[in-house]
Amino acid sequence: LKSNPSNNEEKEAQTQLTKSDELQRLHSQALSAYQQEDYETAISLLDEILAVCVWDAELRELRAECYIKEGEPGKAISDLKAAAKLKNDNTEAFYKISRIYYQLGDHELSLSEVRECLKLDQDHKQCFSLYKQVKKLNKQIESAEEFIREGRYEDAISKYETVMKTEPEVPVYSTRAKERICHCLSKNQQATEAIKLCTEVLQLEPTNVNALKDRAEAYLLEDMYEE
């Protein structure tokens, strides 16, 4: 403005200055809400700021943290993906995306994101350790599915039992493994065991279609037509 004063520009400059003060105020409120663990308020304040500061990677990472705390992993991933593009060599964002996918049971996407992190920094400790875990689990699941396609149900069962030992901390993998073991037992005409295991899965996930179908097949083997 000092270099080129004119009424129009002065008005515009004043508006923008007021806006930037307002955004800074919102920013400190958002940080304070985040520190007080009021993530819902933090998200709505960050929404306002990001509507203007679209390209701010740090703010997106902060909002992603809030989404994680609020149990909205899908929204966290979308913010972290944007942050990974906006900031060069953002290994942290790739690591977090990979972890979220892993917790959600999507081991294949988790593997591809953690690889992106290692492309940027092959010595990244957290990424390398996660990579080893996901790669091992991924390989076991692929191998178990291969056995199922070949009709080698005993081998598939034993491989899925290994999967449960490899990842005992994230429940989704145990549930999926049990669901697939139930499928193998049913195909292998081991009806009683199949019914027992499918029932376990259905107690955790009452609408699991695969477990319902496999248990139905097992009931047929036992002539339990009503069930």
Side-chain angles (χ1 to χ4, degrees):
L1 255 189
K2 282 176 186 163
S3 68
N4 187 8
S6 83
N7 283 346
N8 278 352
E9 281 170 6
E10 184 169 1
K11 223 154 124 189
E12 172 67 4
Q14 288 301 342
T15 311
Q16 295 291 3
L17 256 177
T18 312
K19 201 184 228 177
S20 81
D21 287 344
E22 171 67 1
L23 288 172
Q24 282 178 320
R25 190 177 61 75
L26 290 175
H27 186 210
S28 34
Q29 283 179 346
L31 284 175
S32 138
Y34 175 77
Q35 279 150 5
Q36 287 162 20
E37 298 182 12
D38 179 359
Y39 302 115
E40 205 179 322
T41 303
I43 289 168
S44 81
L45 291 163
L46 289 165
D47 287 348
E48 277 188 71
I49 308 170
L50 279 159
V52 182
C53 310
V54 186
W55 315 113
D56 192 313
E58 266 88 10
L59 289 176
R60 286 191 179 275
E61 284 173 10
L62 182 61
R63 189 169 65 177
E65 280 301 311
C66 296
Y67 281 137
I68 291 169
K69 303 281 192 196
E70 283 289 289
E72 298 204 52
K75 290 180 177 177
I77 286 172
S78 126
D79 264 344
L80 287 165
K81 284 194 167 175
K85 287 198 183 93
L86 291 168
K87 204 157 79 180
N88 281 344
D89 300 345
N90 197 343
T91 50
E92 198 53 35
F94 284 117
Y95 172 69
K96 283 180 183 169
I97 297 168
S98 177
R99 272 212 70 79
I100 295 172
Y101 277 135
Y102 186 71
Q103 297 291 329
L104 291 174
D106 200 327
H107 49 96
E108 284 162 342
L109 278 175
S110 174
L111 192 58
S112 85
E113 294 294 335
V114 81
R115 279 187 176 131
E116 291 302 316
C117 170
L118 290 170
K119 273 185 207 165
L120 295 171
D121 176 7
Q122 58 192 35
D123 299 322
H124 194 290
K125 277 196 182 126
Q126 286 173 307
C127 284
F128 186 64
S129 145
L130 181 61
Y131 170 71
K132 280 199 303 189
Q133 174 71 0
V134 186
K135 192 179 176 204
K136 182 178 177 186
L137 193 72
N138 200 46
K139 203 170 170 195
Q140 289 170 351
I141 292 171
E142 278 177 358
S143 150
E145 287 301 314
E146 185 61 34
F147 286 144
I148 290 175
R149 283 191 290 276
E150 291 168 3
R152 294 165 61 187
Y153 299 117
E154 292 293 340
D155 291 332
I157 289 170
S158 133
K159 191 55 83 176
Y160 266 119
E161 281 166 350
T162 312
V163 166
M164 291 196 276
K165 289 192 187 93
T166 300
E167 185 42 88
E169 303 296 319
V170 183
V172 64
Y173 295 107
S174 305
T175 309
R176 284 295 153 273
K178 285 177 183 173
E179 177 201 299
R180 297 306 277 154
I181 291 172
C182 162
H183 174 73
C184 295
L185 291 166
S186 174
K187 288 285 188 197
N188 220 19
Q189 314 242 316
Q190 293 167 264
T192 316
E193 293 93 324
I195 292 166
K196 181 171 174 282
L197 202 57
C198 273
T199 304
E200 255 185 66
V201 174
L202 287 161
Q203 278 162 352
L204 297 166
E205 295 179 352
T207 54
N208 186 315
V209 175
N210 294 329
L212 285 166
K213 287 196 296 187
D214 288 322
R215 188 169 69 173
E217 291 293 337
Y219 280 141
L220 283 175
L221 292 170
E222 294 285 284
D223 299 336
M224 296 164 75
Y225 301 120
E226 289 295 326
E227 286 84 344

